[in-house]
Amino acid sequence: MTQAIVVERDGAVLTLRLNRPDKKNALTREMYGQLAQALEQADADACVHALLICGTAECFTSGNDIADFLQQPPEDMSSPVFRFMRSLLECRKPVVAAVAGAAVGIGTTLLLHCDLVYVSRDARLRMPFVNLGLSPEFGSSLLLPQLLGPARAAQLLLLGEGFSGEQAAAWGLANAALPEGVATLEAARDAAQRLAALAPAAVQDSKRLLKAPGREQLRQVIEDEGWLFIQRLSSSEAVAALSGFMNKPRSP
Ligand code: COA
C-alpha cells in the first residue's frame, strides 16, 4: 500500500515526504499522527541531526483534508493536528522545508516554524481560513504581523490573498526562491545536509536561542487559536464553505 507519509533516512538527515498526490497531499488525521510520531522520534534520536519536510516537485500540500474536517474534526488539543503542531514547534533539531506548487492552509502556516524554507518561484501559498469560515492557526495571528507588519498580515489572513514563492522570499518568509520544483527540493536537501554536518549540540543550542523570544506567548496563542478553530469548524459558515469545496464539480 502507498504510504501517504514517507520517512527516509539519509545519513543524519531525516526526510518526511508528503505523498498523497491524488489529493494534492491533503493532510488527514492519520498523516498528522505519522508526522508527529516521526518528529518526536527524530527529536529523541541522537543519530538524526536535521529534518527535511517536503512534498513532490509539483505540490507541497493542499492543507488539511477537507473531508476530514467535515467528518472527523479535531475535538481538543489531543487531536493529531495539534499533536503535529506541538511536535514541530518543540522540535530541537533544525527543520528545513521544500515548497513547490500549492502550499495551502497549514501548508503555509507550518513554514513559520521551520528553520530554513526553500520555495519554487511559482509556488502558490495561501491561508484561506476566513474564506472557509475558519480562523488563523498555528501562531500565524501572532507571527505574521510581527514578520510582515499588520497591513500585509491582514491581507493574507483577513482577505485570504494568495502569494507566490517569489513574494515569500522577498518578504523574508523563505530563504530562497528557486526556478522550479526539482531545484527547490535539491536546495532544501543540500541545506539539510549542511546543517547535519555541523556540530549537533551547537546547532540545537543556537536554534533554541533563536526561537526563545516570545516562546510562552506563542504556545498560548497556538492553544487559543486552536480552541477558536475547533469552534469555527462546527459553525454554519464553515460547514457551508467546506461542503462547497467537496461538492464542487471537477473535470474527470
Ligand atoms: N482536502 C481534501 N481533498 C482535496 C484537498 C483538500 N484540502 N485539496 C484537493 N483535494 C482533492 C480534490 O477534491 C480532488 O479530488 P478528486 O480528484 O477526487 O475530485 C483532488 O484533490 C485534486 O484537486 P483539484 O482541486 O482538482 O486540483 P487543482 O490542481 O485544480 O487545485 C488546489 C489544487 C490545492 C489549489 C485546490 O485543490 C484547493 O484549493 N484545495 C483546497 C485547499 C484548501 O482550502 N485547504 C484547506 C485549508 S484550511
Side-chain angles (χ1 to χ4, degrees):
M1 206 181 99
T2 315
Q3 281 291 320
I5 301 292
V6 179
V7 181
E8 287 165 337
R9 261 289 288 285
D10 179 11
V13 175
L14 190 80
T15 299
L16 311 181
R17 185 157 52 83
L18 314 180
N19 183 40
R20 199 185 170 213
D22 56 322
K23 298 289 179 190
K24 305 285 170 186
N25 294 336
L27 294 160
T28 61
R29 286 171 72 95
E30 196 184 356
M31 290 163 74
Y32 285 124
Q34 291 170 2
L35 286 169
Q37 189 179 12
L39 280 159
E40 287 159 12
Q41 285 175 355
D43 211 35
D45 182 349
C47 298
V48 175
H49 295 182
L51 291 102
L52 171 63
I53 299 183
C54 62
T56 63
E58 289 76 39
C59 181
F60 185 54
T61 171
S62 57
N64 203 106
D65 186 286
I66 291 181
D68 250 20
F69 263 166
L70 287 164
Q71 286 154 19
Q72 37 179 2
E75 286 163 352
D76 57 36
M77 293 303 128
S78 67
S79 296
V81 61
F82 295 117
R83 181 178 161 210
F84 164 68
M85 288 184 192
R86 272 193 304 277
S87 61
L88 181 58
L89 179 75
E90 304 299 345
C91 186
R92 293 168 305 140
K93 315 278 170 80
V95 181
V96 181
V99 178
V104 189
I106 197 164
T108 294
T109 57
L110 75 81
L111 304 177
L112 302 172
H113 304 280
C114 294
D115 301 291
L116 295 169
V117 177
Y118 295 85
V119 289
S120 64
R121 278 186 207 142
D122 60 357
R124 288 164 292 121
L125 300 96
R126 196 175 167 215
M127 293 164 285
F129 299 112
V130 170
N131 315 70
L132 292 169
L134 300 170
S135 49
E137 50 152 33
F138 212 171
S140 54
S141 64
L142 176 71
L143 296 175
L144 280 175
Q146 286 175 352
L147 292 167
L148 304 179
R152 189 162 279 154
Q155 229 174 308
L156 303 189
L157 287 177
L158 292 185
L159 288 173
E161 285 186 5
F163 54 103
S164 67
E166 196 152 25
Q167 284 171 303
W171 296 344
L173 294 179
N175 295 80
L178 286 297
E180 38 80 41
V182 172
T184 307
L185 292 171
E186 277 169 11
R189 192 170 307 282
D190 175 65
Q193 281 164 352
R194 282 188 287 139
L195 279 168
L198 296 167
V203 173
Q204 287 167 38
D205 279 347
S206 303
K207 170 168 179 166
R208 184 166 44 76
L209 289 171
L210 285 166
K211 298 280 186 192
R215 193 92 181 133
E216 270 316 307
Q217 188 191 11
L218 179 57
R219 286 192 185 103
Q220 189 59 53
V221 168
I222 291 172
E223 183 163 344
D224 294 346
E225 288 172 339
W227 287 114
L228 188 58
F229 198 95
I230 287 171
Q231 280 176 34
R232 292 238 44 94
L233 269 173
S234 62
S235 68
S236 55
E237 295 172 340
V239 171
L242 297 168
S243 307
F245 175 81
M246 290 315 294
N247 297 329
K248 196 168 95 181
R250 289 187 171 75
S251 45

